[in-house]
Amino acid sequence: MRLHSITRIIRYVPLVVWLIFTIIIFGYAFLASLSTTREIFTNKLLASGIHFSNYTRLFEETKIGLYFLNSLVYTVTSCVGIIVVAAPAAYILGRIQFRGKRLVDLMFISALSVPGLLISIPLFSLFYSLNLTGSTFTLIFVYIFTNVPFAVFLLTGFFASIPKELEESAAIDGCGPIKAFIKIILPMAQAGILTLTIFNVMGIWNEYFYALIFANNPDRHPIALALQSIVVGYTNTGNYSGIFAASLLVFLPTFILYLLVSRKIVAGITIGSVKG
């Protein structure tokens, strides 16, 4: 029993160390965002009190409100588009047997291994030839179609785990395949759709590479890309407290979202891993 207890404690040591490290890092960043630059460099955080002006100045001196709105539009529209495109494809792959199914599965899985850097130049050439560079819809299209392979891969397991007797019963009652998919299968797969949406929200909100290439209009920048400009500008002026404030504003939305739905993510992945 004593050996078992020691082994169990040792297992939790890396987790506790990581937790302490994370709390210290983000705690320091939070306190630094409410301090002055002098206090940051002298390691005397909050010595002169709490400075909420670091956040108010951020909105006054930059267009961070516009950048937040841009990211919100990109994230919400892209997540909806990913579900619209990936759900029917995953439904067919998970529920219907047809010739060439394994090849299609392999194509989607292979697409997951393609690095974004490899397809960025062809995509940019395509959108440039269509005169779509700098448009809001350009980045949305890129986010949708670059995330569809993972979405199909994840949702296929959820659709495959739903009993086929439900569709058979619906067919007996005169419900066609499309109607059954919308009214029966999609509600049954809501755990998988929610899990996928959470992953996409966190990924798209913090995405930087595609935004750097396709959002070349400053007024179309998402918050992650705008953060880099804010950091460079505040570094030149020596406003390091503003840098911490901007970083936390970008980080907090996805962090709060993860705290609220972390249990649903685990439950959703567990459900999707069981096929029946």
Side-chain angles (χ1 to χ4, degrees):
M1 292 295 294
R2 182 176 300 178
L3 180 60
H4 177 72
S5 300
I6 295 175
T7 305
R8 189 174 181 180
I9 293 174
I10 293 175
R11 271 194 245 166
Y12 283 100
V13 168
L15 178 62
V16 172
V17 172
W18 176 84
L19 179 62
I20 294 174
F21 175 78
T22 303
I23 292 175
I24 292 175
I25 292 296
F26 290 112
Y28 180 88
F30 176 72
L31 296 178
S33 69
L34 297 173
S35 304
T36 64
T37 300
R38 180 183 294 274
E39 290 169 348
I40 293 174
F41 282 97
T42 57
N43 202 24
K44 297 179 180 179
L45 302 181
L46 301 180
S48 60
I50 299 176
H51 297 268
F52 290 106
S53 59
N54 294 334
Y55 290 91
T56 57
R57 286 176 56 193
L58 187 62
F59 284 91
E60 294 172 356
E61 298 173 354
T62 66
K63 297 180 179 180
I64 195 168
L66 175 63
Y67 302 142
F68 259 96
L69 180 61
N70 290 341
S71 285
L72 186 63
V73 171
Y74 291 138
T75 303
V76 173
T77 309
S78 299
C79 288
V80 173
I82 292 169
I83 297 300
V84 170
V85 175
Y91 169 72
I92 293 175
L93 291 175
R95 311 288 291 177
I96 301 175
Q97 296 295 329
F98 58 92
R99 183 177 298 178
K101 179 178 179 294
R102 291 186 179 180
L103 177 61
V104 177
D105 282 331
L106 181 62
M107 291 174 61
F108 277 108
I109 295 175
S110 299
L112 295 175
S113 63
V114 178
L117 181 63
L118 184 63
I119 63 174
S120 59
I121 296 178
L123 280 177
F124 183 81
S125 300
L126 174 63
F127 284 112
Y128 181 79
S129 62
L130 296 175
N131 294 322
L132 291 177
T133 54
S135 171
T136 301
F137 296 102
T138 301
L139 197 55
I140 292 174
F141 289 146
V142 171
Y143 286 151
I144 290 175
F145 294 113
T146 54
N147 285 283
V148 161
F150 173 74
V152 172
F153 173 75
L154 182 65
L155 290 179
T156 299
F158 287 92
F159 289 129
S161 65
I162 299 175
K164 293 185 178 181
E165 288 76 11
L166 295 174
E167 293 167 289
E168 295 173 356
S169 300
I172 294 174
D173 293 336
C175 186
I178 298 178
K179 190 175 181 180
F181 169 69
I182 296 174
K183 291 192 173 183
I184 298 176
I185 302 301
L186 279 182
M188 292 291 294
Q190 61 181 345
I193 293 174
L194 178 60
T195 302
L196 175 65
T197 301
I198 293 168
F199 280 131
N200 288 332
V201 167
M202 292 189 293
I204 295 173
W205 182 270
N206 296 303
E207 202 280 325
Y208 177 85
F209 179 72
Y210 288 124
L212 179 64
I213 297 175
F214 295 99
N216 47 23
N217 186 339
D219 291 334
R220 299 288 186 269
H221 285 179
I223 190 65
L225 183 59
L227 177 62
Q228 192 266 346
S229 301
I230 294 173
V231 170
V232 172
Y234 277 176
T235 300
N236 294 333
T237 59
N239 185 9
Y240 287 89
S241 56
I243 293 176
F244 280 104
S247 301
L248 280 179
L249 282 178
V250 175
F251 162 75
L252 283 178
T254 52
F255 178 69
I256 294 174
L257 175 65
Y258 180 79
L259 290 180
L260 294 176
V261 298
S262 58
R263 291 186 178 180
K264 294 183 179 180
I265 294 176
V266 176
I269 294 176
T270 304
I271 294 174
S273 64
V274 179
K275 295 185 179 182

